[in-house]
Structures are given as structure tokens and as C-alpha cells.
Amino acid sequence: MDDIYLDKNENPFNVPEKVRKEFINYVKTANFNRYPEKWLPSLTKKLAGLTGFDIDNIIVTNGSDELLDMLIKHAAGDMVISSPTFEMYSFYARNYGYNVIDVPLRSDFSLDVDGILKQKDAKLVVICSPNNPSGNLMDRESIKKVLDSGVTTILDNAYYEFSGEDYTDLLAKYKNLIILRTLSKAFSLAGMRIGYGIADSGFISELKKLQAPFYMNILSARMAEIMIDNYDLIGEKIRYIINERERVYSEIKDIAYPSSANFLLIKKDIYDYMEEKGIHIRKLPLVKDRSRLTIGTKEENDRAIEAIHEYIEKIF
Ligand code: PMP
């Protein structure tokens, strides 16, 4: 049996055939000798249409990783995170020599708002919702309390499409908020590296000052546009993944937490056990006795469920 990869929260589906064809047609006549249009007006417009915002409220980046990098560099000071969470926040802060203050999530993975608000010197707070790796959404009222303090806040919403929770209405009130999204997950474009942020136009224009005019290649930008034009095809896959997430969870709920994303946090470290079966999952070096399973295709999930059932029989 072939190995399967349920380790990076990727979409198990490649881009739809229709999208691939449109992209290949573009490649046939693309002007590779020319620079992209400065700041990608066409893609920015499509993202504005997709999200219901103006182009001035959108910044497009090379993966949302690049946006995190820019935001952390821009904040230039102590950053608050709530572990367990996405490791790249600390990676960038450390690269710039900024302090990372960890105010851990509570045992039910909710935000410790009072703990965050005590960090008076913080220049930046990062809230990940749905959180990677715990999979849960953060409560709106808690997020608002953090925003009310006025501190610049990143709401990392990379798994938005699987969650059914839209926080963009908060942007009308809070100019200190930026919502980070990506085309790597629901849009099946992890290999193309496209992320974006939505925020107040003043905040976006500050950030754009840090960005070179020709930062993204024309192929990634065009592929993103084609995918957005075919959003109906993506919607089908999102529903499939959500249904599979619920099915897998109901099968293994003795050792998994519920999730609003495209992965499940497992209450045991089953990494080595799954590796032996050719099922690659995420080890989570910073989270003791846990591991993370990405939702794949039905067939892949069946293999994971079977392996985990065997594991449960052994330990209980
Ligand atoms: N935020 C979170 C919470 C993530 O899990 C990831 C990817 N694993 C990212 C951001 C970055 O995604 P990308 O750079 O592919 O847009």
C-alpha cells in the first residue's frame, strides 16, 4: 500500500480539471518577459469581490506566512501568542529578535483574555481561530476584549472556510485588527503560495510600504484568479472535507478533540505508530502526548480510522 500524507493540513484534492485547463491556456501565451502588474490589481480586485471589501482593504502576499513575517516586522516589539498554536509566529519573532510572550490557552483551549491584557508592553497579539493544532474557534467576545485594548491584533483565519465562522464584521469597528487568510487550504493552492490580509485601509497602506512592487510571480497570481472565478467547484470540496472531518471525529472521538478546521488534534502521540503503517501525521514537538491528523480523502481517512481503531483496542 502507498504511503499517505495527512501531516500538513493540505487539501487532499488537486485543482479541478477545468481550472488546470484554464491555467495551461494562460501559460501558452503568458508574457514571461514582462514584470507582473505592480501590487497585483486584478487579483486584489477578485479577493475584494470574494470577501465583500474594497481593494484598499486587501493585501496579497506569498503565502500567509509572508504576511505574518511582514506584520511581526512591522509591529517591532513584544508579541503575545497563546500556545499550543502555529509555530511560525515564534519563528519570525525570534528571527527579528523580538520577545515572544506565551499566554497559554486554558485547558479547554479557550483564550486567557485577562492574561493577554496584562501584557501591557506587547506590540502585537496573535489569535489563531480555528487554532492550529487544537482545531477550535476562539470566542468572539474574548477576541473583542483583546481588540478593545487597542493592541494590534492578527486574527489568523487560515482555516476559515472549514469553520463557518466569519469575523470580518469586526473590521468595521476595529482598525487594530487584521484578518489573515490563505489559498493554501480550502483553495488547494499550497504549492502556489498565496495568502492575503483584510484590514482597515490605513493599516493596509502602511503594510504595503514594506512590500516590493513585483513580489509575486505571474503564475501564482493568475492561478489564484482562476480558482476564485471557480469558487463553486471549491465549495463542493469544502463540504466534502467538513463531512469527512465529522465522520472521522465520530469514529475516533475517544482519542480526538472536535474541530472546526481540516484536521483533528489527537489526545495521544500516535506519530510513530502511524508512521509504521505508512500514514504520515504531524508529530507536534512542542505539545506533549498529542499529534495532529489532517483530513484527507474518504479512502485515506478510512485507513487512518482503521489504524486508530487498532491502536485504541491495544491501549484501552
Ligand atoms: N496560519 C496557520 C494557522 C497555518 O496552519 C498555516 C499553514 N500551516 C499558515 C498560517 C500559513 O499558510 P500559508 O503560508 O500556506 O498561507
Side-chain angles (χ1 to χ4, degrees), residues 63-65 86 89 128 132 156 158-159 180 182 184-185 193-194:
S64 48
D65 273 347
F86 187 42
Y89 311 139
C128 188
N132 176 8
D156 184 342
Y159 300 95
L180 175 149
T182 180
S184 296
K185 311 293 177 184
R193 314 304 301 124
I194 304 137

Side-chain angles (χ1 to χ4, degrees), residues 99-113:
N99 219 3
V100 179
I101 305 165
D102 185 13
V103 179
L105 296 174
R106 297 205 183 86
S107 57
D108 63 355
F109 299 127
S110 62
L111 277 180
D112 175 1
V113 178

Side-chain angles (χ1 to χ4, degrees), residues 109-110 128-131 135-139 143 157 163-165 167 260:
F109 299 127
S110 62
C128 188
S129 183
N131 183 47
N136 62 305
L137 282 162
M138 298 302 153
D139 155 66
I143 295 172
N157 207 197
S163 74
E165 178 77 0
Y167 297 104
S260 295

Side-chain angles (χ1 to χ4, degrees), residues 138-172:
M138 298 302 153
D139 155 66
R140 221 162 227 285
E141 291 311 307
S142 304
I143 295 172
K144 281 196 204 162
K145 280 187 197 152
V146 173
L147 289 167
D148 281 331
S149 75
V151 67
T152 301
T153 303
I154 303 176
L155 183 54
D156 184 342
N157 207 197
Y159 300 95
Y160 158 66
E161 293 86 352
F162 306 109
S163 74
E165 178 77 0
D166 187 348
Y167 297 104
T168 52
D169 59 299
L170 297 175
L171 290 163

Side-chain angles (χ1 to χ4, degrees), residues 199-263:
D200 173 65
S201 56
F203 193 168
I204 294 291
S205 64
E206 277 294 297
L207 285 174
K208 280 193 174 157
K209 287 183 194 158
L210 301 176
Q211 202 173 34
F214 307 125
Y215 61 96
M216 185 182 282
N217 73 77
I218 56 171
L219 297 183
S220 291
R222 186 66 199 129
M223 180 58 116
E225 290 182 21
I226 299 172
M227 277 303 259
I228 295 167
D229 288 343
N230 286 281
Y231 190 77
D232 52 328
L233 299 176
I234 299 164
E236 260 172 53
K237 298 291 189 276
I238 295 171
R239 284 189 292 279
Y240 175 109
I241 293 166
I242 294 172
N243 285 338
E244 279 297 293
R245 175 188 75 208
E246 295 308 312
R247 182 177 76 91
V248 177
Y249 174 67
S250 71
E251 288 282 348
I252 62 166
K253 60 174 174 296
D254 290 344
I255 65 159
Y257 293 95
S259 167
S260 295
N262 67 339
F263 55 82

